[in-house]
Amino acid sequence: TAHAFKGICGNLSLKALHTLLVPMVEKLRSGEIEKAVEMLDEVEAAYRTVVDVINRSNVRRDKGGDP
């Protein structure tokens, strides 16, 4: 759920993603589904950034670089 994802991002200090998810969860709770859906592109872009950073980190580690 969006709420669980927001919590995970907060726990992992993924601040940019967490900051986007807070208002999205609030909109979902208040029934503003269309407004929450409008936020998906920005949330997805932030998510992809996190995934890219993790993947680059893994590649460096696999090649013997610093994690």
Side-chain angles (χ1 to χ4, degrees):
T1 65
H3 175 77
F5 188 43
K6 176 188 71 113
I8 291 166
C9 291
N11 288 338
L12 295 175
S13 296
L14 302 173
K15 293 178 184 180
L17 194 49
H18 184 262
T19 299
L20 292 171
L21 288 166
V22 169
M24 179 183 230
V25 169
E26 290 172 3
K27 289 184 186 338
L28 290 169
R29 284 184 179 152
S30 67
E32 299 176 79
I33 306 302
E34 288 181 24
K35 288 184 179 181
V37 169
E38 290 172 3
M39 302 175 75
L40 281 175
D41 287 341
E42 193 172 5
V43 169
E44 183 177 4
Y47 171 79
R48 297 251 178 245
T49 298
V50 169
V51 170
D52 289 345
V53 168
I54 292 168
N55 285 335
R56 284 194 307 266
S57 174
N58 286 336
V59 167
R60 281 197 311 266
R61 188 175 62 228
D62 291 344
K63 291 182 179 180
D66 291 331

